[in-house]
């Protein structure tokens, strides 16, 4: 199954493909229709897209072998980068991205007692 997730005013579309029962592949369609795969972070198993902004930057997630997701961005050329985490954070998500590339969301990790701690991030 393949689906579109977001489109910008230049006609760049991002979406995802699901193969088998759970594996996802992040995709970007150029305005002319050429499809390219967006890679996960090095060492991660899969990636998924969420939104593309006006300059062609794509935001989404990279998933490791424990299915822990971390918020990432892909440059218009397709290079993936982790959205910066603070020490101790092991997962992150975002809720909104502005065209000025301001990202808001959540990040978290475990505290000294082994409990899960989540905090808002910008």
């Amino acid at each position: 199954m393949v689906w579109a997730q977001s489109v910008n005013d230049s006609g760049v579309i991002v979406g995802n493909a699901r193969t088998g029962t759970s594996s996802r592949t992040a995709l970007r369609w150029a305005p002319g229709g050429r499809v390219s795969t967006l890679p996960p972070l090095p060492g991660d198993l899969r990636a998924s897209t969420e939104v593309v902004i006006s300059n062609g930057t794509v935001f989404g997630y990279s998933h490791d072998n424990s299915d822990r997701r971390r918020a990432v961005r892909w440059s218009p050329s397709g290079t993936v980068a982790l959205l910066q985490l603070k020490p101790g954070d092991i997962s992150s998500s975002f809720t909104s991205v502005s065209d000025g590339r301001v990202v808001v969301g959540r990040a978290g990790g475990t505290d000294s007692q082994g409990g899960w701690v989540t905090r808002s991030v910008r």
Side-chain angles (χ1 to χ4, degrees):
M1 173 181 0
V2 176
W3 66 97
Q5 193 72 25
S6 176
V7 61
N8 70 11
D9 288 340
S10 299
V12 175
I13 300 169
V14 297
N16 301 291
R18 183 177 301 237
T19 57
T21 57
S22 64
S23 183
R24 278 193 185 179
T25 301
L27 302 172
R28 174 178 31 218
W29 288 266
R34 185 176 58 85
V35 180
S36 57
T37 300
L38 298 173
L41 291 168
D44 281 4
L45 298 178
R46 60 191 178 93
S48 57
T49 65
E50 293 291 325
V51 66
V52 57
I53 62 174
S54 61
N55 71 357
T57 301
V58 177
F59 293 84
Y61 298 102
S62 186
H63 305 261
D64 67 13
N65 62 354
S66 299
D67 206 29
R68 181 176 44 225
R69 72 181 186 176
R70 294 173 290 166
V72 297
R73 74 171 181 272
W74 290 272
S75 69
S77 67
T79 303
V80 65
L82 177 67
L83 296 182
Q84 188 166 349
L85 297 171
K86 290 193 174 185
D89 288 345
I90 59 173
S91 79
S92 59
S93 64
F94 62 90
T95 54
S96 185
V97 180
S98 74
D99 270 341
R101 297 184 359 167
V102 175
V103 180
V104 295
R106 298 179 296 276
T110 54
D111 63 15
S112 60
Q113 282 82 40
W116 186 255
V117 177
T118 301
R119 63 183 174 75
S120 297
V121 294
R122 175 176 188 244

